[in-house]
Amino acid sequence: SMASVAIYFAMMSLYFARMFQEQRAFTRELNALVSTSDNVRNLTASANQASTAKANFVASMSHELRTPLNAIIGYSQLLIDEAQDEADEVSLADLRKVHKAGSDLLRLIDDILAYSRIDAGKMPITLSLGTPAQHIDGWMKSGQARAQGGDRPIVVARTAALNHPVQTDWNAFGQAIRLICAAIASHNVEGKIEFEFETTPDGGLSIAIVDVGADGVARPPIMLQESFEHSDDASSTKYGRTGIEMALALKFAQLIGGDIVEGRDGRGRPAQRLTAPSLAAATQPISEAA
């Protein structure tokens, strides 16, 4: 009947009107989401550009920052030598403080610049085939130098992994080891640091670094933190550290495809474990270091 047709058309009109309204609402929401997505994308791009610009600026400041500090360190050393010749103990003590402060600041600037260069992608890696045994003596000396001036001895377990050939950037690998030693020493000034080398299933290396207290008990590993953070608020004021060591050590480890994790050594003691893969197959023989 005509009434039924009229009712049908009225219902269809209401239905299509509702659909049209929902479509308009959906279109508005979609446009809002697209606009928000574009804004987020633009903000992210701007943030990345700002971060890259900051990293590039800091990475390019190497010469400008090092030159005046090297002058302070050099002149203070000359004055120290002169005070020693004249047996001027009062001036000698002050000059040594100036020299140490300058050296510590230069080392901190080097760490910050290295961190920024890695962040900016300007830290090249140089691969070479070698074994830990060929580098361990240098690592121990420099590790002790960073571990509170050599007050904490470093003991290396003589395992077969010391002569395991690996292709990696040994300088970056050594930097990570030295920085871990410095981080350990910044938290605990007594005891010793023990290294234990192992091979990994993929042909790389894994080092368990154990912080052993004066009582012979292994301390818990240092928590991985952001730069310039300390889990102990008193640490930076007590030992004069900034907290960048572990963060920078992780950067160097990741630069060569490795990592730093909390783990155990072969004796089940808590350890900081540094891993480094072999970045290329060892295709040539290596002479074993004594």
Side-chain angles (χ1 to χ4, degrees), residues 24-46:
R24 289 182 60 185
F26 174 77
T27 302
R28 286 195 300 269
E29 291 179 5
L30 180 61
N31 290 336
L33 288 174
V34 171
S35 177
T36 301
S37 177
D38 289 340
N39 290 336
V40 170
R41 190 180 299 109
N42 292 334
L43 290 173
T44 301
S46 299

Side-chain angles (χ1 to χ4, degrees), residues 161-199:
L162 284 172
N163 292 313
H164 177 67
V166 171
Q167 184 113 346
T168 189
D169 186 324
W170 291 98
N171 179 61
F173 196 21
Q175 289 283 15
I177 291 174
R178 286 188 282 269
L179 288 160
I180 292 174
C181 291
I184 290 174
S186 72
H187 286 72
N188 305 299
V189 297
E190 297 179 349
K192 61 183 177 179
I193 301 172
E194 295 186 6
F195 289 175
E196 183 182 63
F197 287 79
E198 298 176 2
T199 58

Side-chain angles (χ1 to χ4, degrees), residues 206-219:
S206 178
I207 311 176
I209 303 176
V210 184
D211 175 19
V212 181
D215 55 0
V217 177
R219 298 185 178 101

Side-chain angles (χ1 to χ4, degrees), residues 15-126:
Y15 172 77
F16 282 112
R18 188 179 299 110
M19 289 292 295
F20 180 70
Q21 291 176 353
E22 291 179 355
Q23 183 180 11
R24 289 182 60 185
F26 174 77
T27 302
R28 286 195 300 269
E29 291 179 5
L30 180 61
N31 290 336
L33 288 174
V34 171
S35 177
T36 301
S37 177
D38 289 340
N39 290 336
V40 170
R41 190 180 299 109
N42 292 334
L43 290 173
T44 301
S46 299
N48 289 336
Q49 290 176 357
S51 178
T52 301
K54 179 197 71 175
N56 289 337
F57 171 76
V58 176
S60 66
M61 290 296 292
S62 173
H63 178 74
E64 288 79 2
L65 292 172
R66 286 191 178 100
T67 300
L69 274 174
N70 281 326
I72 292 172
I73 294 170
Y75 280 118
S76 63
Q77 184 61 56
L78 290 175
L79 293 172
I80 286 173
D81 295 339
E82 184 177 337
Q84 286 177 333
D85 293 339
E86 297 177 358
D88 186 354
E89 295 298 330
V90 176
S91 298
L92 191 60
D94 292 334
L95 289 170
R96 282 174 175 163
K97 291 178 181 178
V98 172
H99 186 273
K100 183 180 183 303
S103 300
D104 289 344
L105 183 55
L106 180 61
R107 184 164 52 246
L108 172 60
I109 289 174
D110 286 340
D111 288 347
I112 295 173
L113 291 173
Y115 193 99
S116 298
R117 288 184 65 196
I118 295 174
D119 259 359
K122 292 188 174 182
M123 180 72 75
I125 62 173
T126 303

Side-chain angles (χ1 to χ4, degrees), residues 254-278:
Q254 293 172 340
L255 183 67
I256 56 176
D259 200 0
I260 300 175
V261 298
E262 297 179 25
R264 301 273 174 177
D265 70 347
R267 296 161 57 183
R269 298 178 300 175
Q272 209 85 49
R273 188 165 286 277
L274 167 65
T275 59
S278 186

